[in-house]
Amino acid sequence: MASAGEARQDDLFQKGIVLFQYGDLDGAEASFQTGLRAATARGDRGGEGSYLHELGLVAQRRGDPDLALELLRKSMRAKLAAASVKGAAVPHVSETLHVLGALEDNRGNRGAAQQLFSLAREYREAERDYDGLGSTLHSLAFMALTGGDAPAAIGLFMQALRAGRISGDRGRAQKSAMALQPLLAAGYAVTGGTASAARDLPPNLAEPLAREEAGPHNIPAARQALENALVFQLRRIARGLLADRILRSMALSGLGWWHQYASLHDISAEEPALDDPAFLRFRDAFIQDVLHRRVARIRPEQLLETKLRVLGGECFFWQEGRVNQQLADLGSSCRLVVVNAERARLHRAAQILNERHPPPMIRSFLFGAVGPSTAWAKFSFYEVGREFAVSPYLNELSPAFAFECRGVSRQAVPRRFLDTVIAPEGHEIWHLIEKSPFGSRRGLTSWKAIMCEDLCRYLQQPRTLHEMLIEFHAVFDFSNGLYTGSFPPGEQPQPLPDLLGGMCQDGLAVTRDGGRYYSPIFEEGRRWLLA
């Protein structure tokens, strides 16, 4: 529960926001300055960062870009300092990076602007902030266009169009569509991106990626190519980390070994069979392979610079936002979860701004297929039903974990447990998320947008309203008190029929004979672009 002082600071902040929106810049500045002094007095570096960010926006609105740049850089320094405190929430980093990018672009510093916009994009993809993502993609698209790279601009505008449709921002979606029309009419060659190094992928994985990039007109094929490439690369990382753990003489329980065996061999059994002869042979053979150096060791310290081959190029391993956005854009149910990825993003921000910030330790990750629903109110929650790659450093005894305002359940958790997690008689995971150090100040910017994304993925097969209510019943059960006050700011619970009506109006879903709903956006033959 917030203290009286913290409540007063929230009131000051909201007052300043309202005054700013109504054009009272003097009043807004006074509120933000008062809040900044109070945050400084109590040693709240995160609060300082938030107030400095708003003061930077006031300076920008007044036409003083130099002061705005100075204040926003101070805001980032304060946020980086706040991040050094274990468990400290660091809100609105993506917004600060985006505005810094715009200021650098206006000053002609294209290189700096590109880096800042790109990192803002990674933040917004990771945070599933479709409204902010659309704005950043637009900025990157215009930079590509003015830089003479029309094909890249087309890809970015198409992604911005999708973000606008998912978020329900019809004005932004129309703006993206209008920007696309002359570019497509001009006949520019449209591809799925320029392929980079194959990251040692075997030909049976590298060639499908290249083929789909050359002709981005088959979403199901592109989805399969991306999923296969990621499974191979992430399993290679998991094997390398397992070799590292063995060579460090760090014991791994039987359950931990089982997770490795099951994920590497596509075994989905809920109950571990620790006496299975095949499992025992795998464990003994792997140890021998490590001792004889037949498995390439990967130390956790290497993962910060490790890259993955994705569609259109490559990205850092910790860029789960980029990986998951590509998967979501293609209708895949696979998702990558990297523990401490936000710390890696902050470290990258410090590098761009020439600030000192310690590199994070990244060693725990999970890649698997998630359930139809991935959002409860303002919280992201991945119910992983099938694990394809898992780090041996991930706590093997925990059936579920929460961090950075996200929850993840492992495939061993019985479905009946998850069906009641937000009911009064059994809400263990809800409490787990609420107790997360990020839970009170972080979360999704729009529950509605994520539900639209989830429903589009689920509706690749025609479904009745009754089928959807059964599958998503926990998400749309607003009768219990646990949902109260837990939605993103400005949003209220919306019944499923109303949500489907809006999706049909925006072209995300259609109705078919028999009252079934269907999403056509992932059909074969539709163009995909992932710039």
Side-chain angles (χ1 to χ4, degrees), residues 386-505:
R386 184 77 176 274
E387 296 177 4
F388 299 124
V390 58
S391 167
Y393 285 104
L394 192 63
N395 184 354
E396 69 271 22
L397 299 177
S398 176
F401 57 95
F403 67 103
E404 297 171 10
C405 206
R406 290 187 294 176
V408 180
S409 71
R410 306 287 299 276
Q411 66 180 19
V413 180
R415 181 60 190 263
R416 62 182 178 276
F417 175 74
L418 292 169
D419 283 344
T420 60
V421 291
I422 61 171
E425 66 272 18
H427 45 272
E428 290 86 348
I429 292 179
W430 185 274
H431 281 171
L432 186 64
I433 296 174
E434 283 282 20
K435 290 179 181 178
S436 167
F438 296 88
S440 61
R441 296 180 62 186
R442 296 289 301 279
L444 298 171
T445 59
S446 173
W447 169 83
K448 177 183 174 182
I450 304 307
M451 288 312 305
C452 286
E453 179 184 78
D454 286 343
L455 286 166
C456 285
R457 176 166 54 91
Y458 183 68
L459 293 176
Q460 291 181 70
Q461 299 293 328
R463 315 275 188 177
T464 65
L465 178 61
H466 179 68
E467 288 174 317
M468 284 182 275
L469 286 172
I470 291 175
E471 185 62 53
F472 291 85
H473 76 276
V475 178
F476 287 96
D477 180 9
F478 306 127
S479 61
N480 65 76
L482 289 172
Y483 261 132
T484 304
S486 296
F487 277 82
E491 286 197 339
Q492 297 294 327
Q494 187 171 8
L496 179 57
D498 293 352
L499 197 60
L500 288 168
M503 290 175 62
C504 290
Q505 187 175 353

Side-chain angles (χ1 to χ4, degrees), residues 45 110 216 293 314 378 420:
R45 298 309 305 275
R110 290 182 60 87
R293 300 296 192 266
E314 59 186 17
K378 69 176 181 179
T420 60

